[in-house]
Amino acid sequence: MNPAMGLSPHSSSASSTAAAPAAGGAGPQGVFITFEGIDGAGKSSHIESLAAALRAQGRNVVVTREPGGTPLAEKLRTLLLGDAMDPLTEALLAFAGRRDHLRCVIEPALARGDVVLCDRFTDATFAYQGAGRGFDTQVLSILERMVQATPGLPGDFIRNPDLTLWFDLPPAEAAVRLAGARAPDRFESQPEAFFARVADGYAARAASAPGRFVRLDARQERAAVWAQLAHALAERGYLTRAAA
Ligand SMILES: Nc1ncnc2c1ncn2[C@@H]1O[C@H](COP(=O)(O)OP(=O)(O)OP(=O)(O)O)[C@@H](O)[C@H]1O
Ligand SMILES: Cc1cn([C@H]2C[C@H](O)[C@@H](COP(=O)(O)O)O2)c(=O)[nH]c1=O
């Protein structure tokens, strides 16, 4: 457990887990936690509960999402979820929104020492555009490096989440949960085979960064999924055992 409660944990680079150099001095570093999984896996059901638990422990928490998180990126979200386009255009819109989101919301919050809880981030681009659409992941890696380089920090520092909570649910079960819940967007209306590829994409990302990813068995009932999540946070010192 980290007794500093995440005040100075690892903000990792793409190739290492070295701590992020603080921009303009040795100020506090926040904690960047992302929620990932196929549509309907249960991410949104837990993000506000985690924010409440962290706030109860005195942390400032920013809850945000991708695509979106800034006025500009929310406009790009509307395009991405609503308009037909090719996979490269999807990837470029996702990364354009991410750049604005990082510069305007995520980096300032982390520099203040806040906890950032983000519903989806770059792993979603690799899972949906890479594995789901079959787009070239080498191109995605180039965009990732360009977009996640942090202003004020050395050029080789790439902002990545400290922790990624991967809600792993079989596509057939996600489809049952989403059926009738709301009008499906352009991604939610994809066939089950698409989500099988997306799920494989998440598994591949998790295998490539095992220290960052925690797999949650999202088939369980809500309280049991929360228990897994809280345990993972407590193990890393981000939540006290009591809150978990
Ligand atoms: N553990 C669970 N067991 C059964 N149903 C659940 C569980 N968790 C969430 N649900 C339900 O499944 C549906 C999808 O949940 P939620 O919106 O949290 O998923 P999501 O991963 O955020 O989806 P999306 O990415 O599409 O926004 C909701 O109707 C929610 O009430
Ligand atoms: C970040 C990101 C997201 N997507 C897809 C994944 C989902 O289908 C939607 C977002 O909807 P949600 O209800 O907010 O989960 O967008 C994507 O294809 N690429 C991305 O980079």
Side-chain angles (χ1 to χ4, degrees):
M1 173 179 284
N2 169 10
M5 276 301 300
L7 274 177
S8 187
H10 35 279
S11 289
S12 57
S13 73
S15 55
S16 80
T17 54
Q29 282 294 307
V31 187
F32 185 22
I33 300 174
T34 54
F35 287 57
E36 295 284 1
I38 63 172
D39 288 87
K43 301 175 302 300
S44 317
S45 298
H46 293 286
I47 201 160
E48 285 297 344
S49 306
L50 179 57
L54 290 163
R55 287 181 184 125
Q57 293 186 181
R59 296 305 304 257
N60 286 326
V61 182
V62 173
V63 177
T64 188
R65 71 173 182 181
E66 289 203 358
T70 69
L72 171 62
E74 289 292 332
K75 288 181 193 164
L76 300 180
R77 175 191 174 92
T78 303
L79 297 175
L80 192 55
L81 270 54
D83 291 33
M85 62 189 78
D86 83 327
L88 172 59
T89 312
E90 282 185 6
L92 291 172
L93 288 185
F95 274 113
R98 185 161 300 133
R99 179 69 180 175
D100 195 55
H101 192 205
L102 276 164
R103 285 171 52 85
C104 298
V105 174
I106 296 173
E107 291 298 345
L110 295 176
R112 289 193 301 270
D114 293 355
V115 181
V116 176
L117 302 182
C118 190
D119 195 339
R120 302 189 182 282
F121 193 63
T122 301
D123 297 310
T125 318
F126 279 85
Y128 281 77
Q129 280 65 53
R133 300 287 196 216
F135 186 68
D136 187 341
T137 53
Q138 288 187 352
V139 174
L140 297 181
S141 295
I142 293 168
L143 291 169
E144 178 183 34
R145 281 197 296 279
M146 286 173 68
V147 166
Q148 291 163 224
T150 307
L153 293 179
D156 58 352
F157 178 77
I158 306 300
R159 177 64 68 189
N160 268 309
D162 297 300
L163 172 65
T164 295
L165 299 166
W166 169 34
F167 290 70
D168 188 18
L169 184 70
E173 292 187 42
V176 170
R177 287 187 190 177
L178 283 181
R182 58 185 176 236
D185 62 34
R186 210 164 61 81
F187 292 101
E188 289 166 347
S189 51
Q190 289 295 312
E192 208 172 294
F194 173 82
F195 288 106
R197 293 196 297 276
V198 173
D200 287 347
Y202 275 121
R205 286 289 278 184
S208 73
R212 170 166 70 84
F213 269 83
V214 169
R215 178 188 171 274
L216 305 177
D217 179 359
R219 293 170 303 181
Q220 297 182 8
E221 63 173 24
R222 215 175 296 237
V225 176
W226 169 258
Q228 295 176 57
L229 184 162
H231 176 75
L233 272 279
E235 252 190 342
R236 286 158 183 76
Y238 297 140
L239 266 186
T240 61
R241 300 272 171 199

